[in-house]
């Protein structure tokens, strides 16, 4: 399974908030459209990312897989700016759907640029948690 590394607090905004657009410099590679990916919270934080009132009391994980999502679509930012408040101008907007947070993110997981392949142990840990959550609901 592939993963996408996202700086904090953006990763938490995807996992626990309403952020369903990820801004990237390139479109989603066509072979990945419609696939399920993991959202990985990177090691660095974007301190100017969100106003404090938008962050709420989200968990603050780094170097961890925090959510699972579907890469549903992709489009170039439109003018006037679309996808507010999450979409940035002059970027590709990667559309995320079916987002589910990982209850207890396994750490540490080293991320990479672009879409990258998750190691088997991390994937198994995430799958166990999501299965446990599904069966206990």
């Amino acid at each position: 399974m592939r993963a996408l590394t996202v700086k904090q607090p953006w990763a938490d905004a995807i996992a626990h908030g309403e952020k369903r657009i990820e801004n990237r410099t390139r479109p989603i590679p066509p072979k990945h459209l419609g696939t399920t990916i993991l959202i990985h919270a990177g090691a660095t934080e974007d301190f100017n990312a969100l106003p404090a009132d938008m962050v709420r009391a989200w968990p603050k994980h780094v170097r961890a897989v925090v959510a699972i999502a579907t890469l549903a679509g992709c489009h170039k930012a439109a003018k006037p700016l679309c996808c507010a408040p999450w979409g940035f101008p002059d970027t590709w907007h990667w559309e995320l759907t079916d987002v589910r947070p990982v209850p207890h993110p396994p750490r540490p997981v080293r991320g990479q640029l672009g879409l990258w392949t998750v190691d088997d142990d991390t994937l198994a840990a995430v799958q166990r948690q999501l299965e446990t959550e599904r069966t206990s609901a």
Side-chain angles (χ1 to χ4, degrees):
M1 181 175 280
R2 299 288 187 161
L4 184 66
T5 299
V6 179
K7 288 181 180 180
Q8 285 291 31
W10 300 116
D12 280 340
I14 292 168
H16 304 287
E18 295 159 13
K19 185 176 191 286
R20 296 299 178 261
I21 296 295
E22 175 56 19
N23 300 284
R24 294 289 157 155
T25 58
R26 295 185 175 98
I28 296 171
K31 68 181 181 181
H32 296 297
L33 276 172
T35 64
T36 300
I37 63 165
L38 300 176
I39 302 298
H40 174 262
T44 60
E45 185 169 351
D46 183 351
F47 292 103
N48 299 313
L50 296 172
D53 63 330
M54 287 182 79
V55 175
R56 300 181 192 108
W58 294 332
K60 187 92 51 159
H61 298 287
V62 293
R63 295 185 182 108
V65 173
V66 296
I68 187 168
T70 300
L71 287 174
C74 181
H75 62 273
K76 188 75 169 158
K79 299 203 187 224
L81 187 60
C82 63
C83 305
W86 307 108
F88 291 171
D90 302 318
T91 62
W92 286 90
H93 294 175
W94 291 24
E95 302 164 18
L96 304 171
T97 60
D98 306 320
V99 176
R100 293 182 292 155
V102 173
H104 305 285
R107 303 184 338 154
V109 179
R110 186 181 178 135
Q112 298 177 28
L113 294 175
L115 289 168
W116 51 277
T117 303
V118 177
D119 67 84
D120 292 340
D121 291 340
T122 299
L123 181 57
V126 168
Q127 289 173 327
R128 278 192 304 273
Q129 287 186 48
L130 294 175
E131 181 62 26
T132 300
E133 181 182 66
R134 187 180 67 78
T135 58
S136 66

